Amino acid sequence: MIILGIETSCDESAVAIVKDGREVLSSVLYSQVQEHLAFQGVVPEIASRSHLKELLPICRQALQQAHMDFDQIDAIAVTSKPGLMGALMVGVVFAKSLAYALKKPLIDVHHIYGHLVSISLQEKPIQFPLIALIASGGHTTLVQMNSFFEFTILAKSIDDAAGEALDKAAKLLDLGFPGGPAIEAFANGGNSNAFDFPMPLKGELNFSFSGLKTSLLHKIQKHPNMNAQEKKDMTASFQETIMNSLCEKLALAQEKTGIDNLAICGGVAKNQVLRDKIGSLVQGGELYMTPMAYCTDNAAMIAAAAFYTQQKDGFAGLDLIPKASAPML
Ligand code: KG4
Ligand code: ZN
């Protein structure tokens, strides 16, 4: 089944064409990051207007890259939840219009389920069961997946998401936006043992990151005249603690469930410190890391997830409406 996926839940406008949930035929993305840079965060109204402007040209590009016409597409998939309401609305209306005009079925995709399915956009076929960590700007969730259709949520953050903590920390450290990549770049060459940060909720499966951010604020206030190297050391130590906390929970979940296979996805899964650490957690099982290009928001993960969503829940009606928040289960 060849699915054209559309993603507009936040500040990336994206269209992709994916065959049978795995084979990416094209994936086109317009990142609005430059448009939001001056505000050090995503401005919802700017995001919606930009999606409106970019979506059609991107869609044409996605078809061109896949050497396809609309008549070769079997279904149209769209992220309808969760996300910025105005931004979602642009994608959903665009998808419904395409589905109606082309007489193609419509598939309603949950954005976070899209991140979860992105683990399969690489060569290794997935062996279940596995423990997946979804670490994005809005979610930090541990999921036990028994198949693409059957999964349970083992833990989540009780406050900030990991990406959110990195974004807020980057603001405190004056490193720019988005925070995750800015922190990773600046921390390079820093001593990650130089500063002590408390390990949040040690021994528990749930995550917590807001205390770490407060701890960072106190350290910055205590060292008002840091030189560049000291600031690098502090940034590296903060990043290390976040990544260690994510790894600690993954190891604990392995211990509690007896499942060795691990997977990571979501924007934070792009972090090389995390990617390097995670290998040592898997002893005899398999490790699945979403490829870098599909960690942050993209439409390939939406078209891939749609393949499974449609098998489980069928097609959506043209009365589909977006939802700003919605649980994955
Ligand atoms: O999955 P995503 O694109 O959007 C959401 O669904 O939230 O994730 C965005 C998050 C941001 O918080 C960003 O700072 C973080 O992913 N991020 C990173 C890296 N690249 C993006 N965090 C750590 N290291 C990175 N290289
Ligand atoms: Zn996302």
Side-chain angles (χ1 to χ4, degrees):
M1 181 179 223
I2 296 176
I3 299 177
L4 182 140
I6 297 161
E7 159 62 38
T8 64
S9 67
C10 192
D11 59 340
E12 323 278 0
S13 316
V15 178
I17 300 172
V18 177
K19 188 177 172 194
D20 297 337
R22 286 209 60 187
E23 198 187 329
V24 182
L25 304 178
S26 68
S27 179
V28 183
L29 189 131
Y30 170 79
S31 174
Q32 304 174 359
V33 69
Q34 292 302 324
E35 295 173 48
H36 301 282
L37 211 54
F39 306 95
Q40 294 284 295
V42 178
V43 182
E45 183 60 26
I46 294 178
S48 312
R49 283 167 190 265
S50 185
H51 288 312
L52 206 54
K53 194 164 137 255
E54 301 299 336
L55 217 40
L56 190 56
I58 287 176
C59 185
R60 289 206 175 104
Q61 244 176 291
L63 285 165
Q64 225 169 47
Q65 264 187 25
H67 306 290
M68 283 188 162
D69 294 322
F70 273 127
D71 55 13
Q72 289 162 279
I73 303 291
D74 297 311
I76 310 289
V78 65
T79 302
S80 75
K81 55 188 175 272
L84 300 172
M85 195 54 178
L88 287 168
M89 221 179 288
V90 176
V92 168
V93 168
F94 184 75
K96 287 204 274 193
S97 309
L98 276 184
Y100 179 73
L102 301 168
K103 298 187 174 58
K104 306 276 181 192
L106 182 68
I107 308 169
D108 164 23
V109 180
H110 192 291
H111 179 81
I112 305 304
Y113 184 57
H115 277 301
L116 198 54
V117 173
S118 73
I119 64 170
S120 65
L121 295 175
Q122 39 79 37
E123 271 152 35
K124 263 191 282 181
I126 305 284
Q127 283 177 32
F128 296 104
L130 60 84
I131 308 285
L133 167 71
I134 309 167
S136 71
H139 292 76
T140 308
T141 309
L142 273 182
V143 180
Q144 177 178 330
M145 288 180 86
N146 297 327
S147 71
F148 282 114
F149 307 104
E150 195 206 328
F151 48 86
T152 47
I153 292 179
L154 300 174
K156 44 176 80 170
S157 176
I158 59 166
D159 42 57
D160 290 352
E164 189 181 357
L166 289 162
D167 292 339
K168 287 177 178 171
K171 256 189 197 170
L172 293 175
L173 289 159
D174 205 15
L175 294 179
F177 162 85
I183 285 196
E184 180 169 14
F186 190 73
N188 197 7
N191 174 4
S192 59
N193 296 314
F195 290 87
D196 260 347
F197 285 93
M199 189 60 84
L201 299 185
K202 210 168 183 311
E204 272 185 50
L205 264 189
N206 280 332
F207 304 88
S208 167
F209 295 108
S210 72
L212 268 183
K213 179 196 58 197
T214 311
S215 172
L216 175 66
L217 176 64
H218 290 159
K219 281 185 173 51
I220 293 171
Q221 286 167 343
K222 214 169 135 190
H223 300 87
N225 300 312
M226 273 189 288
N227 62 33
Q229 186 58 44
E230 286 163 337
K231 188 170 160 181
K232 256 184 190 302
D233 293 347
M234 191 180 282
T235 307
S237 304
F238 179 82
Q239 173 180 244
E240 184 82 2
T241 312
I242 297 245
M243 302 312 157
N244 281 344
S245 175
L246 295 174
C247 289
E248 192 231 347
K249 309 301 181 191
L250 276 167
L252 202 58
Q254 282 177 313
E255 201 184 301
K256 287 195 182 220
T257 60
I259 297 169
D260 198 23
N261 298 333
L262 292 184
I264 54 166
C265 56
V268 180
K270 234 176 173 170
N271 188 279
Q272 200 54 53
V273 174
L274 177 65
R275 291 176 93 91
D276 290 345
K277 280 180 187 292
I278 220 136
S280 64
L281 296 180
V282 178
Q283 303 301 324
E286 289 288 344
L287 171 62
Y288 307 100
M289 293 195 278
T290 295
M292 294 289 231
Y294 306 127
C295 284
T296 39
D297 293 348
N298 64 89
M301 69 182 198
I302 301 305
F307 179 67
Y308 301 102
T309 300
Q310 156 276 137
Q311 289 176 47
K312 187 165 170 272
D313 301 332
F315 294 112
L318 288 178
D319 56 352
L320 175 67
I321 47 163
K323 290 196 182 96
S325 64
M328 191 169 62
L329 283 177

